[in-house]
Amino acid sequence: MIDIKIFQVEKGFCSAIEFSHHMTILIDCGLGRKFKPAEYIWHRQCKYLDYLILPAYSNDHLQGFSDLVTQSFQHYIPIHFLVYNPILNPEQISTIKPFPLPSVNSLYNPIGNNKNIEVEGLKLTFFWNENKVFGTEYSLGLVTFLEYADIKIIFPSDLDNAGWNNLLQSYEFRHKLEKVNIFVASSHGEEKGYCREIFNYCKPEIIIVSNKDNKPLNPRMKELYNGHAKGSIVGVSDNNQRLYSTYEDGGIKISKYLDRLKHISTQHKGNLSPYLDNYI
C-alpha cells in the first residue's frame, strides 16, 4: 500500500511518498498557508524521515528546510538520507538564513555514481545536468522518476527548457520518459519549464500542476498540457480527468492498494485535510 501526495503549497513544491508502516519520503519542502513540511512529519507521527529529496535550490523551494532540520535535532526525528544534485555541495544549496550547515554536512547523499534507490518495491531514479555553468540555476534541478507497480511518475522540479533539452541527449533519460504515465509539470506549469520535445517520448495519462502563489494556470499552458495528457482507463480518475492542478483541485493523492488500479483523489472533491488524510 502506497500513497503519493502532492500538497497544496504557495511557495515551491512538496510531495510525500507514504507507506502504511510509516516509512516516508519527502520530495521538496515548499510551504503553504495551511501546510508546512515539518508539521506534516509531526502529524504523521514519523519516528524518522527516511529520505528528504531536495530537487530545486531557489528560496521558495527551500522555505521549509530549516524547520525540518531543526525539528530533526530538537525532537529527535532524524533524517536518514538527504538527496540532492551531487555536483552541488551543501553550501551551494541555499542562501536562506539561518541555515544549519553543520547539520546538513553530516547528512549522507546516497546518489552519485548510482542513480537509483530501491526500497519496498519502489524504485526512484535520478537525473541531473552535470555542468555547473550550463544554462541557469533551474537547469541544475534534480529530476526524479518514481516507479511502483502501475504508477510511473516524473517529478522534474523547476527544470527549464535548456535543462530538458540537455537531458534529452541521454538514451536512458528518453527511455524513462517513455514509461511515464503521470507527469508533474516543471516550474508550476509556467512557460519557462515547458519543453515540447519531451512529449515526443512521454505520453502521459495524467498531468499534474502545482500552482505557484495559488494562481491559476496560464490559459495557453493549460491548453497545451491538456492536449498532452491522453487520459486513463475507467477507475483511475473521476470523469476521466486528465489535467489536475492544486489551484483547482487542492492537494492531489495517488494511491495504490494491493493489486487494484492506481487511483487519484483530490482534496476538494474528496473532502481531505491539508495533509490529504480523511477528516476524522
Side-chain angles (χ1 to χ4, degrees), residues 63-237:
Q63 286 288 318
F65 183 48
S66 182
D67 285 346
L68 275 170
V69 176
T70 300
Q71 175 176 266
S72 172
F73 285 85
Q74 288 184 349
H75 300 288
Y76 195 64
I77 306 176
I79 301 168
H80 283 178
F81 297 103
L82 181 70
V83 182
Y84 53 91
N85 185 332
I87 71 167
L88 302 175
N89 59 55
E91 289 84 354
Q92 294 173 296
I93 288 177
S94 175
T95 58
I96 295 176
K97 305 297 181 184
F99 194 68
L101 285 175
S103 302
V104 175
N105 282 327
S106 68
L107 296 172
Y108 172 62
N109 185 4
I111 66 169
N113 293 329
N114 183 6
K115 294 182 176 181
N116 300 313
I117 293 172
E118 296 189 51
V119 58
E120 301 286 341
L122 173 78
K123 183 176 182 180
L124 299 174
T125 305
F126 302 95
F127 290 86
W128 58 88
N129 287 300
E130 300 191 10
N131 188 342
K132 293 182 184 179
V133 298
F134 165 77
T136 69
E137 64 175 306
Y138 303 109
S139 305
L140 293 175
L142 185 70
V143 179
T144 305
F145 288 91
L146 180 156
E147 298 175 69
Y148 184 87
D150 60 344
I151 299 173
K152 319 287 184 185
I153 306 179
I154 180 173
F155 296 93
S157 174
D158 270 357
L159 200 66
D160 60 9
N161 188 275
W164 279 118
N165 278 301
N166 197 53
L167 287 175
L168 277 173
Q169 297 177 42
S170 162
Y171 168 79
E172 186 183 3
F173 185 77
R174 298 194 304 270
H175 182 62
K176 284 289 184 183
L177 281 174
E178 290 171 352
K179 297 180 178 181
V180 166
N181 54 25
I182 300 177
F183 184 94
V184 178
S186 175
S187 294
H188 315 286
E190 295 174 354
E191 189 167 359
K192 66 182 179 183
Y194 177 73
C195 178
R196 182 180 296 275
E197 290 74 17
I198 287 297
F199 299 100
N200 293 335
Y201 308 94
C202 185
K203 311 293 183 183
E205 299 169 6
I206 303 292
I207 293 180
I208 297 173
V209 176
S210 175
N211 300 81
K212 184 176 182 179
D213 297 324
N214 201 29
K215 293 180 180 177
L217 195 59
N218 174 292
R220 175 177 175 272
M221 298 310 301
K222 185 173 183 177
E223 182 179 1
L224 282 171
Y225 278 122
N226 204 44
H228 289 308
K230 63 183 182 181
S232 55
I233 62 176
V234 175
V236 172
S237 60

Side-chain angles (χ1 to χ4, degrees), residues 9 14 98 126 180 193 212 239 242 256 258 279:
V9 298
C14 192
F126 302 95
V180 166
K212 184 176 182 179
N239 301 317
R242 295 181 295 173
K256 177 70 177 180
L258 301 175
Y279 280 107

